[in-house]
Amino acid sequence: VSKAIERGTAKFVVYAQDVSPKEIIQHLPFLCKEKNIPCVEVDKKEKLGIAAGLSVSCASVAVINPGSAEKDIESFKGKK
């Protein structure tokens, strides 16, 4: 996720609040703000993993190709 943000390929980033240690994800909001990429925090890494289509927990996700959700993602610009 960090590399996708730094390269500018991430269109949207989501990270979980319950990640431990916090150092794993604490830099993501700052990188996203720097690159003007919408970034959202969710409460549970288990839910994020399910939403990403994984059978395991997930600390963070970067959307590279938003497909038909591009307009939805644009609505997050300027938030957080």
Side-chain angles (χ1 to χ4, degrees), residues 8-20:
T9 58
K11 306 297 182 212
F12 185 65
V13 172
V14 183
Y15 64 94
Q17 181 182 33
D18 66 340
V19 174
S20 180

Side-chain angles (χ1 to χ4, degrees), residues 14-19 42-61:
V14 183
Y15 64 94
Q17 181 182 33
D18 66 340
V19 174
V42 295
D43 60 342
K44 301 275 184 198
K45 57 187 177 184
E46 289 81 15
K47 290 180 186 177
L48 185 55
I50 291 168
L54 304 172
S55 59
V56 295
S57 298
C58 185
S60 61
V61 174

Side-chain angles (χ1 to χ4, degrees), residues 9 11 21 25-26 33 35-36 64 73:
T9 58
K11 306 297 182 212
I25 51 94
Q26 72 183 12
K33 185 174 182 178
K35 298 284 188 172
N36 197 30
I64 305 297
I73 289 173

